[in-house]
Amino acid sequence: MNQKIIEKAKERIEKRKISAENAALQNKIKAFEDPSFKVIYQKYVDQMIENARSGKTEDLSFLKSQIEKKLKNLGIGSIEPQYYCSKCGDNGIVDGKYCSCFTEVVNELLKDESGFGKLEDFASSRFDIFDDPETIKKIYSKMKEWCSSPFNKTLIFVSGDTGTGKTHLVKCMANELIAHHHLVNLTTAFAMNQDFMKSYSSKDLEKKQDILSKYLDSEILVIDDLGTEIRNPYVTNNFLYQVLNERKNKHLPTIITSNLDLKDLQDYYDERVSSRIIDKATSICLQIKGADLRLKK
């Protein structure tokens, strides 16, 4: 995962935490201006200290309810931080692993960076505009099912002519995967190839690796419109093979859409690239047929 994205996500989570704690502190300062609140709160603190010293488990619920009642009467919010995420307390980490809230923030940043804009939803997909709605329904159903367990077959290749709904399908898939708390990196073949060229021309080894890391290490990578990039046969083929091969070896899922069918792949790229895509053991290859939906609309 791109380290810059990780750092941005950490900053956003930290801001949430600081905001929640500052709001609680301001409420507490305001509440302590009322003498009767100070008395109730001191009783609560004294009882907690006594419980800790004696090992007792004296019930604090009555004092807590008194505090809450007093705050309500004063028109003051909670004096305890109201964290965005109750699981991690806006630390972004649970049991030594990134919390699902951290994953959500990373996905938001990745979506912003991808330029894909708003994602789509399986539930709102229309099938009546397709030439063969029943077949498309089966494809969508199969892909939604795959999203719940994306590590069995780790490469999805969706081919079809322009305007047949390939991008809509992968946007639905990305949305579904994010709902299952996966990290999804969306890109276009054009943008990815631009990065390949930057990495190839850079003399800075660290920069080279940083450019490629978002393609090599992303938990799930979505590449839209493969075959539409301005291709340099040497650079594009070699770097694309590297990405597909590394991800295959690491068992990291990759979703690809393309106007190219399976027969065209080998001619357009080379056998190494096509063999990584057309592998029945690890891939699901789908073709969406029909007229341009945008013209129908």
Side-chain angles (χ1 to χ4, degrees):
M1 180 58 61
N2 190 314
Q3 192 59 35
K4 290 180 182 177
I5 294 291
I6 296 295
E7 292 305 318
K8 282 183 180 179
K10 286 179 179 179
E11 287 176 12
R12 188 172 292 187
I13 294 287
E14 180 66 17
K15 284 180 181 178
R16 282 179 181 173
K17 182 180 178 69
I18 291 171
S19 177
E21 291 175 351
N22 281 344
L25 178 60
Q26 292 304 313
N27 286 340
K28 197 169 187 177
I29 291 170
K30 190 175 180 181
F32 266 67
E33 293 173 356
D34 184 88
S36 59
F37 177 84
K38 289 178 70 175
V39 172
I40 297 170
Y41 189 79
Q42 191 59 52
K43 286 181 181 179
Y44 173 73
V45 172
D46 291 343
Q47 188 60 62
M48 281 200 301
I49 294 171
E50 179 59 28
N51 285 357
R53 284 176 178 170
S54 63
K56 294 179 180 178
T57 55
E58 190 74 27
D59 188 15
L60 297 170
S61 58
F62 175 72
L63 290 171
K64 283 183 179 179
S65 67
Q66 290 290 98
I67 289 171
E68 290 171 4
K69 184 177 180 181
K70 189 64 179 175
L71 287 171
K72 186 176 181 180
N73 289 339
L74 293 170
I76 299 173
S78 177
I79 59 173
E80 298 298 327
Q82 300 301 294
Y83 295 116
Y84 176 87
C85 180
S86 59
K87 289 186 287 185
C88 71
D90 290 348
N91 287 308
I93 301 289
V94 175
D95 297 330
K97 298 179 181 179
Y98 286 131
C99 181
S100 60
C101 73
F102 186 86
T103 303
E104 288 170 4
V105 171
V106 171
N107 277 320
E108 287 172 9
L109 292 169
L110 287 170
K111 280 190 287 183
D112 291 343
E113 193 175 76
S114 72
F116 268 68
K118 185 180 178 182
L119 295 182
E120 309 293 345
D121 197 306
F122 277 111
S124 62
S125 297
R126 288 179 57 196
F127 301 104
D128 59 309
I129 58 176
F130 290 95
D131 292 340
D132 186 355
E134 291 306 312
T135 298
I136 301 301
K137 275 184 184 179
K138 289 177 182 178
I139 289 174
Y140 272 58
S141 178
K142 185 175 184 178
M143 289 299 93
K144 184 176 182 181
E145 184 180 349
W146 176 85
C147 289
S148 64
S149 183
F151 296 96
N152 294 326
K153 297 277 189 175
T154 55
L155 192 140
I156 305 296
F157 181 74
V158 183
S159 65
D161 291 335
T162 300
T164 50
K166 302 184 299 297
T167 300
H168 171 72
L169 173 58
V170 296
K171 281 186 174 184
C172 289
M173 293 171 69
N175 207 19
E176 188 75 11
L177 289 162
I178 289 169
H180 284 87
H181 307 301
H182 293 295
L183 292 171
V184 182
N185 182 14
L186 299 101
T187 188
T188 63
F190 178 85
M192 183 175 68
N193 192 59
Q194 292 290 96
D195 281 339
F196 289 167
M197 297 300 294
K198 289 177 187 175
S199 180
Y200 176 72
S201 60
S202 176
K203 295 179 180 179
D204 186 330
L205 291 177
E206 187 175 340
K207 185 178 180 181
K208 279 177 176 283
Q209 191 58 34
D210 187 54
I211 291 171
L212 291 179
S213 66
K214 61 182 176 182
Y215 304 116
L216 295 171
D217 302 325
S218 296
E219 183 184 356
I220 297 174
L221 175 65
V222 178
I223 307 169
D224 194 35
D225 274 342
L226 191 70
T228 61
E229 68 276 13
I230 302 172
R231 188 169 59 99
N232 177 310
Y234 177 77
V235 175
T236 305
N237 287 4
N238 285 334
F239 277 69
L240 181 57
Y241 172 75
Q242 182 185 348
V243 167
L244 295 177
N245 192 56
E246 283 288 311
R247 294 187 63 78
K248 178 186 173 79
N249 291 337
K250 292 176 181 177
H251 304 287
L252 295 173
T254 307
I255 303 169
I256 300 171
T257 74
S258 179
N259 292 346
L260 301 173
D261 61 25
L262 297 177
K263 290 192 297 181
D264 294 331
L265 271 177
Q266 187 171 329
D267 293 335
Y268 196 78
Y269 295 103
D270 57 33
E271 188 176 352
R272 296 177 309 153
V273 170
S274 62
S275 68
R276 288 298 172 269
I277 296 174
I278 309 169
D279 183 345
K280 291 182 180 179
T282 57
S283 304
I284 298 174
C285 296
L286 305 167
Q287 185 174 23
I288 299 179
K289 297 180 180 180
D292 192 327
L293 299 176
R294 289 170 291 191
L295 295 178
K296 285 188 175 185
K297 289 178 182 178

